Structure formats: structure tokens, C-alpha cells
Amino acid sequence: MTSIGIRPKPTGTEPPARRPARSTWHAVANGVVLAWLALTAVAALVQHDLPVPRWLLIHLFLLGAVTNAIVTWTEHFATALLRIPPPPRRWPLARLAILNAGIAAVLGGVAGGLPALASGGASAVVLVVAAHVAVIAVRGRGSLGGRFAHVVGWYVWAGVALVAGGTFGGLLASGRVPAGWLAPMRAAHAHVNILGWVGLAVLGTLFTLWPTVLRTRMVDGTGRIARWSLRAAVPGLAVAVGGLLTDLRWLAAAGLLLYAGAAALALVPFVRTIARRRPHTPASWMLAAGTAWFAVTLVADAARQSLDGLLPLVLVGFVGQTLLGALTFLLPVVLGGGPAALKANAAVIERLWLPRVAAVNAAVPLLVLPVPGWLTRAAWIAAIAALGSFVVLAAATVVRTHRPSPVIAGITAGVLLTALAAGVAAGSADRPGSTVAATGTRTVDVALADMRIRPGTIEAAPGTRLVLRVTNEDAMPHDLRLGTGQATPMLGQGETATLTVPPLEESVDGWCTVPGHRAAGMTMRIEMTETPEHAQHGARQGTQHGAHEGTGPLDLAAPMSPEWRPYDAVLKPAPGGKDHRVEIRATDRELEVAPGVRQQMWTFNGTVPGPVLRGKVGDVFTVTFVNDAAMGHGIDFHAGSLAPDVPMRTIQPGERLTYRFKAEHAGAWLYHCSTMPMLQHMGNGMYGAVIIDPPDLPRVDREYVLVQGEVYLGRPGSAEQVAKMRDGRPDAWAFNGTASGYDHAPLTARAGDRVRVWVVGAGPSTGTAFHIVGAQFDTVYKEGAYLLRKGDDGGAQILDLAPGQGGFVEAVVPEAGHYPFVDHDMRHGEAGAHGILKVTG
């Protein structure tokens, strides 16, 4: 049977230097891992009451807990499997101290707006890991090698990935990355850390850990498979990261497919071992489930070239379960004390393992799939409870065998809690465009870009001295002038200037002086609060409620939240057959309706717009309409002709009805909630599209559907929101539910493609003048009739639709580039009815 816990014997004739017991070292090192896990659980539990930024949760877990675990256990496995002496006694302790000081500096520096501290912390982490894998590589060369020599390669390349990912992270934390590189570098940072640092370390370890956990022998050929799969995984990851950095999605997809293939090859011994002996212990079930979620992650990531929206699956399903499974098996082994102590420790750490594993794996799909908000919250509670219970049990196991020194425990707790406190205190600065709270003397980075000033609001107590570091990230010149008289010079792209604000005595407005820019929304405000505590409270409120800050309109150029996923605008071909059975559910769901702005919406099937139905003339649609919402709703399909009394009636929560209609005429039809007042139900998102193809509709290269609607912020049905609806004052306009969403997730085509775009005006109060900048329409179809056909002498530039109307346009995109599509009523276009068609060569 494979063994990974062998205590190596000293070599040579000299007696070995005295070292602390290895069990004591493991108690200390894994105690640090458990401390980071505990902080992660605490931060997750308090995030609804305190402004805990999302990045802090991720980095507490991945950078704090997982990185410490990988460093500790890769050294353990390399030492045990290669039969080499442990490293000098001072190296592990120094490594542990510097690594965790660097992690705390990263968290505190990013949270506190101290880029030098954050970059220095990232450098420390990178240097420690680089030294760690260098020590493993050098010491591994002097070993006998044998059938376990392959582990060194996996650990070294995992360390190289962390060096690259940590470097990306340090650059991002420095604030010196050009705006155009931010999104590609974030994607590369996430992939190289998760698939490289974590993924390679896990795959390399499973070759020996998995048969050990199952108490069986390694399958034949494992070493050969390990070497070949590593030779494919590393180039695959490198190609993927290069593709993400250069925004070449095809290259990233190719790299991710190669990496996924390499991972599949690496898992062949894993599967063959299962065929020999099935999982039968808590650790084996956790490792099996974690590996399965890793496989799901790789498939989804290769298809999407993005980990956005997959983080719950990655963090909870894959990384979390793998870490907990490994610690469940390994901690009782390395803590020592003999067979009786091992059995007793295992009994403690495995307590209630079955409901914990069941809860985590039931929660994972609920965290990724579009389910009601209450179900997502319940899933998070279950996952956090499973993590928290493991931390308690594992800590009890460590303490019962090795009581920590009060001094060491106090210092460790102080460092970790300081990192958490720093992140919480500055959490409101996490999202661009949010309120920044300041007291004392504070330097605040201010960005001028996309006709906005970010942050839009800075809250500060009386007497605060602010230093504003102003950078123009836009292609056009901008400046910043304050009402107190301070002003920057006119700044070109990439130029920076500093403004020192006198001790604050009153609120101060700021704006760009370029003609028209102030009116367009390039404004900010330094808001004086009564006390420092009030400043912090104001920042907290701004973060929690997701409302936009500042004196201007929504900041539509700010980044979308990582969890946001665009509505899929690709229109699939009409399904075969004449009868179509569909289920549509009315649900209440919180959605991101503009960058960083979440809003409770009334929806069909959890999306705005609801699902698109497609068919042909003569098709029959049987719709089962179910009300899962908290109030009465109905449904009205314009695509059918029938008496509305029964099928369009309002049904109460928990009720259902069947709505059957025949598509007698072609067109782009609206459907919407039929419950009065329809203005409110449609204004809160209850609309969708039905596409009935005209006869002999030709195929095209790309086909999309866009439903334009209005966005009204505020609590649905509140007096303030209804007043805006009645006055026709939307906060934004949107294609497919998110203002400027397709600026952040462009539609795609290739040069020379014929692109057909179906458009439906959902209103409820305004229509659209749909236009694609740089393209001319050679086909226009509106309200069931062609206004222009391919081959006609003329062309068109606008598809004009009143509320409730629909149609489509076609154009051939002549060359590569970015083609904006807009509502040419510029009040609407500049307020969110805008997107990008990205055409590649």
C-alpha cells in the first residue's frame, strides 16, 4: 500500500540535529490553515451586516487557507515520498511567518487603499512560494527518486503558476494596470491560480493520496501517466492564460481544452482505483466529490473561457471539499500519538460527516443555477455551516493532542484578525463607483473615465484632510475642479495629478470642466458627515443596498459584478414539430440591472426578459404558467388570438393555468404579465418575446434577439418607484434586462457574416430606434411585413418600434472591429440601451 506519512530516517554518519516533533510542527502549520478557514466562515456569516467585500472572502479562503495548506502538505509529501530528510528546522517556521505576513499585507493593503503595502505583500508571497518549490526541486534531485519522483514536477509547476498568478495580483493591487488590461489580467490571475497553483498541486497529490485513502495499491502505469499529463497540462494552462491576456478567446479555449484533456488523463489512475475499491470513508467521499466538481468546472470553463459565475462551484465544490477531505484523512495521521490516538482523533474529525458532505454537495448546484434568492441563501448557509463545523472539529482534534503556546496563538490570532478587520473597515471601497468613507488624513484614488468620476461620493468627517490622486483613464482629456477652488490641469490619457483638499468644513462638489462633461454626469461629491462613525455607516449602507452613488446617473461603464451573467441573446432555430410545450414560472429574483446595481425584479423563469419562444406559422404552443411569486400574476401572449377571460386571468401564488394558442401569423411578438396595473408588472421585468418565423426565412450566420425595456430602481411597487413609472422617468433603459450589459459581454460575429437581430420593444412606456453603428441594413422586417429585402436598391439605418412592436434587421459586417448597437434616441442610448457587436477577422 502506498504510504505518504513515512518518517524519513537521517542519512550519513552524523547524528541529526534536534528538531521539534513533526507532529508539533503539523499542529502549528495546520492550526494556521484552520484559523484562515475560521475567518472565512466568520466573514461569510457577517457579510450581510458588515461591508465584507467579496474579494476578501475569496482571498481569505484561497490565499489564506488553501495556500498555507498547499505549502505545508507539498513539502510533507515530497519529503515522505522521496525519502529525503526534512529541511532545516528554521526554514519551515520562517516560511510560515513570512508567507502569512505577506498574505495579511495583501488583504490589508487592498482593503485599506495602500497599493504599496498590497504589492509588497504579493511580492513576499511570490518569493516564499518560489523559494519553497526551489527547495523541493533541489532536494528532490538528490533523492533516490523512483516511482514517486513525478510529484516534484507537479509541485514545481504549481509553484511557477503561483508566481505568475501572484505577480498578476500584485500588478492589479498596485493600481498601475491600464484600464483596458484590467479585465484580461483578472481573468488570467484567476485561471493561473485556480487551475495552476491549486489544480496542479491537487492533481499531483492525488496520484498517491487517493490510493492511500482507499487503503489500496497504486495502479500500474501511474508514474508514466503522471509525467505525460503534466507535459500537456502546463502548456495548456500557458496557452489559456496567454489567450485570456490577449483577449483571444479561441486561443484561451484551445488552451483550456488541452488542460482539461491533460486533467482527464491524470485522473485515469483515480478512476481505475475506484474500480478496484469504492470510496468507503468520509475522506474518500469528500475527495471523490471534490474531484467530480473539478471535472465539471473544467468542462464549463473550457466552454465559457471564464470562471465568472462558477466560483461557488470552484470554491465550495472543488477546492473546499478537496481541502477538507485531505485534512480529514491526514490530520489524525500526522498529529501522532499512536494507533489509539489516531483512532480517537479520526472519530472526532469525522463526526457527522455524512450530513456535512450531503449538505455541501446539495448546495453547490443551487449556488450556480438560477434559483430563487431564498434558495441560494439557504445553500450558502448550508455550505458555511459544513465548513464551520469542520473547523470546530478539526481544531478540537489539534488542541486535544497539542495545546498551543498562548503567546504563539495570540500573535497568530492578532495577525489574522487584523487582516479581517482591515478588509471589513475598507470594504466599501471594494466596488468602483461606490462611496469611500474617510477620516483623519486619507489618500483616495480618483479615476476619470467613460464620462464618469469614480468614486462618485467620498464621505468624510469634519476636519478630514483628503489627498485626491486623480488619473485620467480615458482617451479624451479631462480634469477635476473642486468647489473649494483646487483643480488639476487638463490631463491626457494616463496622466495623474494630486489635489490636497483643506480640512473639511462643509460638503464639496467636484466636476470636469470640459464643456458638456459636467452635464453628462462627470461629477463627484465630498460629503461631510457628522462623525467618523457616521461616515463608516454611510459607506456601509452604500455597499449593502447596491444603489448607485454620486450626483449623476448610473455609472454604466463601471465593471459588472463577477457573479453577473449576461442574458443569452443567441436565438436558437425553431424546434422541430408543430406542438411546443413550455413551462413558465413567475418568480421574484434579485438581478443585476446595471453595473454593480442589484434590484429585486418580478420575472418569468428568473430572468429579464423571460425565455424566448420560437416557432413557425401554424405551430401550437401549450404553456403551463405557474405562479411561484409572492403576489398574483398573469400572462398575455400577443402571438396568439383568443378570448383573454380565462387564459390571461390572474392566478395567486401556488396556482397554475394552461395557456394554449396557435401562431397564425409571423412576427416578433411581445408577451407580458396581464395583471393590473400592467405598468408596474412590466416595469419590474415581466415581459418576453415570441418569434414566429416568416415563411421561407433564410438561414444567416448569426442570429440574436434583443428585448428593450425600462429600468426603474427602488422597491417594487413603492410609491417612489410607481411615481417614476407614471411620469415616464426610468433610471435606465436596457437590452435584455441589464443596462449596457452587452458593453461588458459583447455579442460576436466574424467579418463577412450576415447578422440578423430581432428586436422587441417591451416598454412599458417608450419604444426604440434600433441602429448598429458602422452597419447598414439591407433587410428590414417590422410588424409582420418586409419593409426592405436583400437585393433591393435601397438600404436602411433604423428599425423604429413603438412599445409592444417587434421586427428584425439584417446586415453584413464588412470587417473586424467593434460595432455599437444603440437606441438612436440618445436619451435611451446613453442611459443603457447600448451594446457592442464584436467582429473578429
Side-chain angles (χ1 to χ4, degrees), residues 135-196:
V135 169
I136 289 179
V138 170
R139 295 171 66 239
R141 284 185 177 181
S143 71
L144 297 177
R147 61 196 301 232
F148 303 124
H150 56 79
V151 300
V152 173
W154 285 90
Y155 293 162
V156 168
W157 282 111
V160 171
L162 188 279
V163 169
T167 301
F168 294 151
L171 290 172
L172 290 168
S174 73
R176 298 183 181 277
V177 178
W181 279 88
L182 286 174
M185 190 168 289
R186 286 195 189 103
H189 170 71
H191 278 82
V192 76
N193 282 331
I194 291 175
L195 301 186

Side-chain angles (χ1 to χ4, degrees), residues 490-534:
M490 195 63 63
L491 302 174
Q493 186 174 18
E495 293 182 341
T496 298
T498 299
L499 292 181
T500 300
V501 185
L504 201 61
E505 297 179 355
E506 60 182 355
S507 296
V508 179
D509 288 321
W511 63 92
C512 177
T513 66
V514 176
H517 287 195
R518 184 178 187 178
M522 286 201 74
T523 62
M524 68 172 296
R525 184 172 177 81
I526 302 173
E527 191 75 49
M528 188 178 73
T529 57
E530 296 178 2
T531 64
E533 291 77 9
H534 185 262

Side-chain angles (χ1 to χ4, degrees), residues 290-585:
T291 305
W293 287 119
F294 183 43
V296 173
T297 298
L298 295 181
V299 172
D301 189 32
R304 303 165 72 247
Q305 304 93 55
S306 174
L307 290 171
D308 291 347
L310 299 178
L311 282 178
L313 189 155
V314 174
L315 300 180
V316 180
F318 163 45
V319 182
Q321 283 198 105
T322 302
L323 177 61
L324 269 57
L327 291 179
T328 297
F329 176 79
L330 293 168
L331 272 181
V333 174
V334 299
L335 290 178
L342 189 154
K343 185 175 181 180
N345 289 333
V348 173
I349 205 170
E350 293 175 0
R351 193 167 297 167
L352 297 175
W353 73 270
L354 185 57
R356 287 192 280 122
V357 173
V360 169
N361 288 282
V364 169
L366 300 178
L367 297 175
V368 178
L369 297 175
V371 298
W374 67 266
L375 198 53
T376 300
R377 288 190 291 273
W380 274 120
I381 291 172
I384 294 167
L387 170 63
S389 61
F390 172 83
V391 171
V392 172
L393 294 171
T397 303
V398 173
V399 171
R400 73 189 300 269
T401 54
H402 295 79
R403 295 192 178 276
S405 160
V407 175
I408 294 177
I411 293 174
T412 302
V415 171
L416 300 180
L417 291 173
T418 298
L420 178 61
V424 171
S428 58
D430 178 54
R431 185 173 61 244
S434 69
T435 298
V436 172
T439 60
T441 299
R442 177 78 181 273
T443 299
V444 178
D445 287 315
V446 177
L448 312 177
D450 304 307
M451 300 303 291
R452 293 292 180 270
I453 300 175
R454 305 189 188 99
T457 302
I458 301 172
E459 292 185 347
T464 301
R465 183 182 297 275
L466 289 171
V467 178
L468 306 183
R469 189 164 50 216
V470 184
T471 302
N472 182 13
E473 299 177 355
D474 214 344
M476 67 178 71
H478 295 295
D479 67 351
L480 175 61
R481 177 175 294 276
L482 300 178
T484 49
Q486 292 77 28
T488 69
M490 195 63 63
L491 302 174
Q493 186 174 18
E495 293 182 341
T496 298
T498 299
L499 292 181
T500 300
V501 185
L504 201 61
E505 297 179 355
E506 60 182 355
S507 296
V508 179
D509 288 321
W511 63 92
C512 177
T513 66
V514 176
H517 287 195
R518 184 178 187 178
M522 286 201 74
T523 62
M524 68 172 296
R525 184 172 177 81
I526 302 173
E527 191 75 49
M528 188 178 73
T529 57
E530 296 178 2
T531 64
E533 291 77 9
H534 185 262
Q536 294 294 336
H537 176 69
R540 184 177 306 139
Q541 284 187 323
T543 301
Q544 282 183 327
H545 297 298
H548 66 285
E549 305 293 335
T551 57
L554 291 169
D555 187 354
L556 299 177
M560 304 298 297
S561 298
E563 300 92 343
W564 175 76
R565 286 173 288 175
Y567 186 96
D568 187 1
V570 175
L571 183 60
K572 297 176 178 59
K578 303 292 289 183
D579 292 313
H580 310 288
R581 295 186 175 273
V582 182
E583 182 178 87
I584 294 180
R585 291 177 175 268

Side-chain angles (χ1 to χ4, degrees), residues 1-2 205-219 273:
M1 183 175 73
T2 307
T205 301
L206 284 176
F207 290 118
T208 51
L209 177 62
W210 182 238
T212 304
V213 171
L214 291 182
R215 297 182 175 88
T216 186
R217 297 182 60 84
M218 287 173 56
V219 298
T273 304

Side-chain angles (χ1 to χ4, degrees), residues 708 735 768-773 820-824 826 829 833-835:
Q708 182 172 320
F735 289 124
T768 184
F770 182 75
H771 172 70
I772 301 179
V773 179
F821 54 87
V822 301
D823 180 345
H824 217 284
M826 289 304 170
H834 188 285

